[in-house]
Amino acid sequence: MSATFQEPSSYQVLIVEDDADIRNLVGIHVSSLGYKVNYLDTGAHAIEKIQEIKPHLLILDWMLPDVTGIEILRQLRKQDEFKKLPILLLTARAHENDIVKGLDSGADDYVTKPFQASVLKSRIQALLRR
């Protein structure tokens, strides 16, 4: 079986982050890789937006003002359609037990803030290669 190659511009990445500066910075890095970027600043409509655009990757903040990223993650993993959606938690929560909780809740990767752009880009590309 051969893999189907997709141009980066055909990939949709959804960033759910309430901090506008971080959201925009992450968007710049994602765009620099050639991917299309969509944004949300709260978790309230994240599930609906994900169902609408069907992103290839979700970059999700844990500490959103209304619904936590962990709750969004758990809801997504209950839906067959999104069980394999690559999800990267991008959060200030850097304690070992937080990382374990995030990964055990269904995240595919975990990046703590502040982050290095090169590391974030490499992790995004690694998730999209799968």
Side-chain angles (χ1 to χ4, degrees), residues 71-102:
E71 182 56 34
I72 293 167
L73 185 54
R74 289 179 176 152
Q75 288 179 32
L76 286 171
R77 293 305 189 214
K78 289 178 185 176
Q79 298 180 36
D80 288 338
E81 183 178 13
F82 299 112
K83 284 186 178 178
K84 293 186 180 184
L85 171 66
I87 300 174
L88 184 146
L89 274 179
L90 181 64
T91 179
R93 298 181 73 136
H95 294 286
E96 179 182 352
N97 60 337
D98 292 327
I99 295 168
V100 170
K101 182 177 180 178

Side-chain angles (χ1 to χ4, degrees), residues 32-72:
S32 76
L33 295 169
Y35 305 124
K36 293 179 185 172
V37 182
N38 295 277
Y39 303 94
L40 281 177
D41 58 2
T42 67
H45 301 289
I47 301 291
E48 295 164 19
K49 186 73 169 180
I50 292 164
Q51 291 171 332
E52 175 190 325
I53 67 168
K54 309 238 186 302
H56 295 90
L57 172 67
L58 174 62
I59 300 175
L60 182 62
D61 183 18
W62 182 324
M63 297 182 291
L64 297 166
D66 48 4
V67 179
T68 70
I70 293 295
E71 182 56 34
I72 293 167

Side-chain angles (χ1 to χ4, degrees), residues 110-128:
Y110 196 103
V111 174
T112 57
K113 300 173 193 172
F115 57 88
Q116 294 176 326
S118 59
V119 172
L120 179 65
K121 288 178 177 183
S122 290
R123 290 176 183 246
I124 289 168
Q125 289 179 305
L127 287 169
L128 288 172

